[in-house]
Amino acid sequence: EVQLVQSGAEVKKPGATVKISCRVSGYTFTDYYMHWIQQAPGKGLEWMGLVDPEDGARMYAEKFQNRLTITADTSTDTSYMELSSLRFDDTAIYYCATVKAGRTFDYWGQGSLVTVSS
Amino acid sequence: DIVLTQSPDSLAVSLGGRATINCKSSQSVLYSSNDKNYLAWYQQKPGQPPKVLIYWASTRESGVPDRFSGSGSGTDFTLTISSLQAEDVAVYYCQQYYSTPPWTFGQGTKVEIK
């Protein structure tokens, strides 16, 4: 059974950095890109970026380009999403997700809530 | 970037009634070489991540009840729930995978029971 298990909720101050993990099981980690998706409270889904665990190559959405780092650790089958210079509007649930067959986001983590509060 | 606009933002349907959600794309997501529309539909229930319902605009994911159907081509798409059940209360999103990155989603449509 494929599972993506994310780290827990975080509370951060404006300007801080948050790092969320996503540990996978049930498939070969390097077989699929790992994507990260933001969902602000009561809002829709926004793709943030991805990493290819095979070679570490990354792509980021323009909106997050300067503040986002996505990595993959093949020794622990874990992907990390680090967002810096946090703002109040970064308060959101962050999901990791994989695309299995070149189309849809088939497997999702349970989500990690990040609250930015002073 | 491809912008997806869903309508309506919310709708209330009686149990057993029909729910229709529209998704309009800012550009065609039909790939002419294989005649496939690169559009998917997801269902998201409170406290859960989204779940794939439909891909290639009209192909149901395995295990998805047949009351869910997708139609449309090019820039205009529809998700229909033919006979709404209580468990269908959720937010529904369309998503394109034609021109990536970025992968983009519609803003979501909330479906409730009338």
Side-chain angles (χ1 to χ4, degrees):
Chain A
E1 179 194 7
V2 172
Q3 287 193 309
L4 282 64
V5 179
Q6 298 184 223
S7 49
E10 303 259 14
V11 179
K12 296 290 183 180
K13 293 192 183 302
T17 295
V18 69
K19 189 171 185 178
I20 299 168
S21 67
C22 172
R23 178 171 49 84
V24 313
S25 61
Y27 74 94
T28 302
F29 184 48
T30 52
D31 278 355
Y32 309 130
Y33 294 171
M34 181 62 72
H35 298 251
W36 287 85
I37 293 163
Q38 181 193 61
Q39 186 168 39
K43 301 292 185 183
L45 301 158
E46 185 160 16
W47 180 81
M48 301 176 71
L50 65 81
V51 63
D52 179 355
E54 179 82 51
D55 61 7
R58 310 160 204 184
M59 292 183 184
Y60 298 136
E62 192 171 333
K63 174 180 176 179
F64 301 100
Q65 183 76 38
N66 296 328
R67 303 192 292 132
L68 178 62
T69 304
I70 298 174
T71 57
D73 183 347
T74 56
S75 69
T76 60
D77 290 349
T78 301
S79 177
Y80 297 91
M81 188 282 290
E82 184 174 279
L83 190 61
S84 62
S85 302
L86 287 170
R87 308 186 291 242
F88 292 118
D89 63 359
D90 291 322
T91 293
I93 296 173
Y94 292 86
Y95 292 102
C96 56
T98 61
V99 175
K100 180 183 67 174
R103 46 177 197 253
T104 51
F105 296 104
D106 303 292
Y107 302 114
W108 295 70
Q110 82 276 20
S112 298
L113 174 63
V114 174
T115 303
V116 182
S117 173
S118 55
Chain B
D1 297 358
I2 293 179
V3 176
L4 300 176
T5 304
Q6 292 182 225
S7 61
D9 289 333
S10 65
L11 74 161
V13 177
S14 301
L15 284 172
R18 176 183 294 262
T20 301
I21 301 168
N22 301 302
C23 176
K24 187 171 186 64
S25 176
S26 62
Q27 64 187 78
S28 176
V29 297
L30 173 63
Y31 193 38
S32 56
S33 66
N34 61 9
D35 200 30
K36 287 183 181 290
N37 287 283
Y38 283 54
L39 187 111
W41 289 96
Y42 295 78
Q43 175 192 65
Q44 186 178 31
K45 296 182 179 180
Q48 297 182 17
K51 168 192 165 185
V52 179
L53 295 177
I54 303 277
Y55 56 92
W56 300 133
S58 61
T59 301
R60 258 190 311 276
E61 180 69 277
S62 175
V64 172
D66 61 7
R67 63 181 180 272
F68 292 93
S69 64
S71 63
S73 184
T75 61
D76 293 280
F77 300 90
T78 300
L79 174 70
T80 301
I81 310 173
S82 60
S83 177
L84 192 76
Q85 305 299 302
E87 61 264 33
D88 301 334
V89 169
V91 179
Y92 293 84
Y93 295 93
C94 56
Q95 178 239 323
Q96 66 83 22
Y97 45 100
Y98 176 86
S99 175
T100 63
W103 286 255
T104 53
F105 296 84
Q107 82 276 18
T109 295
K110 186 174 186 179
V111 173
E112 299 173 306
I113 304 293
K114 187 187 297 182

